[in-house]
Every structure is written in structure tokens, then in C-alpha cells.
Amino acid sequence: MTPSASEVLAPAAPSVPRLLERCRDLVRPALTEAVERLHPWLGEMAAYSFGWCEVGGAPVDASGGKGVRQALAVLGAEVAGVPGPSGVAAAVAVELVHTFSLLHDDIMDGDPMRRRRATAWKAYGTGPAVLAGDALFALAVETVAWTPGGPAGMRLLSAALTDVVSGQADNLLFAARPWSGPERVRPEEYRTMAERKTGALLGCALSLGAALGGAPPATTAALERVGRHAGTAFQIVDDVLGIWGDPAVTGKPVHGDLRERKKTYPVLAALDAPVPAARRLAALLESVDVPDEALARHAAALVTEAGGRTAALAQARRHLAAVESGLAELPLAGPAVDELRTLLSFLVRREL
């Protein structure tokens, strides 16, 4: 069963596609110019990763993704009332860092496909994809360093990157831990990992443009907190979709995360529950290395029976409430704030 939007949040306003398009159009020239500064081979791999070309460099007539993170950077700057170029520079840096993290994550996770085509490491090889990711990281640092608010921006970016790397380290270590017993992964450990791995970059996206434009530190910090909560909610909703999502929407098979034995929030919350279904779920997950569809379907039913799905949606709602509270505390108003609220609603109610 696919989670409805009403399970998590009210439907997003119809203006979201136009908002994302506006921000993409604003950022794309600067992002293209940055990528063109790379070594041509690295630039081609970067363009492939953004969805701009095929292997070999043939152009593709596509937007290269929704561009939510760059839109957050633009809106964060607009909300804070800082000059427009600060938001664009922040958007370029955040998009470069996000793509760098995807290049490396796909290698670590062994994922062969992303957005319905081969991942960069499958298309170009592992070594080249690692190098392309390194190049994008260096380019992001250069982009921030050359802005007028570079020092403040570098502090934000470096703190976010430290958290992203720490979160990914925890995520990799979780895979080796047992499904039951005192060494199992607890839901709160996973929530902390999600805040670091996913929330930190969204918090950086929302606050970096404000920081680069010289916004008051209190405003920048408030935007960073809002982004972190939104990112954590997004990850937990993504976990729900990874089990029960509609393949036509997510691009992934139903029960896919269970078939891959991923330790996601709904599963961990179910395993933590003091009910018989939790013990049956642990026994099932410990009994097979690669569950077939029938076993994955049974596991999903046990997750629901043990309360894992309900617990995940409740946790997402708590972070959404923190997002709303954080936005309400900002001494700001106007169209940009309304657009930001709409975009954050969109972010946490579907897979991006």
C-alpha cells in the first residue's frame, strides 16, 4: 500500500514545479560555468551525473533532476534578504557537493542504476567516478571560497560535510550489526545518522546563501535547523516509500529496501517494539541472505503489525512540526517565506 500524502503532510501547492524551474533557470548558467572549469574528462562525468549528457558527451535535453537543494539555497538567501548572487553561489556549491556524495555513495552501496540509467561508476568505471566526485568536492570549496562571505560559508560547508561523512560511516557500519540482541541498531541511532547524512546537507543548502550574503548569524542558524529537520523527515518518509511506495512514483520495486536487507527506520522501529511480531520479523531477517518477493511481502506485513510504519510516520511528523516551528520563529514574512514553506512540504511528501 502506497502512503498517501495525507499520512505525512498536506498536498504541496501546484506552484512547486514553477518554483523549481525558476530556481534551476537562475542557477544553471553558473553551475554550467563551474563544471566547464574542470578537466574535460572530469567535466563530462560531472555532466553525465547531472543528467546533461550521455557517455561520450552527447547532450541530453533534460533538466538534470528537480533541483530541490539548489532551490533551497536560492530561497534561503531570498528569505534572509541577501543579494541574489549569494543564493546562486550557494546553490552551485550545494549541488556540487550533493552530486559528489551521490557518486561516492553509489560506489559504496554498489548501486548500478540512478534515475533509470547507469550510475557513473558503472558507466565510466570505479576509479574515474571517484575522481569525478573528488573534482566536484574541490569545485564546491572553490565556489564558496571566492564569494565575499567565503569564511562564514566555509565554516557552514565544512561542518555539514563532516556530518555527512560521519553519517555515511554509521550507515555502512549498521549493515554489519545484527538484527536482534543488544548490538542491534536502535531507532534513535538511525535517526541521528539520518540527520547527519541527509539533514546536514539540507540544512547547509537552506542556510549557505544567507551566510554568504552576510545575514545575521541567528537567521543563518535558524535556517540551518529548519533544513536539518526537513532533511531528517525526508529520509524517514523515503524509508517508508522504500518499502510501500508505488514503483511508478519511486522508480524502485515495492518492498525493495527489505529485499536488499536495508536497516531503515520502519524496520528498526518494528524490531524495537516489545511485541511478538517484532521477534518473528527478526527471525525472518536472520534466516535468509536475500529474501524473495514472498518473504519480503511477509516482512513488510510484520513491520506494519509491529508498528514500524506508524512509528516512522509519527517520527516524520515530529520533524515536520519542528520545521513549522522554526519557520514561525524567523522574523521574516513575504512571498519567499511562503515559497519556502511550500517547497519544504513538497520535499518531505515524495521521493526526490
Side-chain angles (χ1 to χ4, degrees), residues 107-124:
I107 294 168
M108 286 184 276
D109 297 341
D111 289 336
M113 303 290 290
R114 178 173 292 278
R115 294 174 182 162
R116 298 178 174 86
R117 67 176 188 162
T119 48
W121 73 273
K122 290 294 287 185
Y124 290 91

Side-chain angles (χ1 to χ4, degrees), residues 34-45:
V35 170
E36 288 175 348
R37 298 201 303 270
L38 294 173
H39 182 285
W41 186 43
L42 299 174
E44 180 192 317
M45 286 187 280

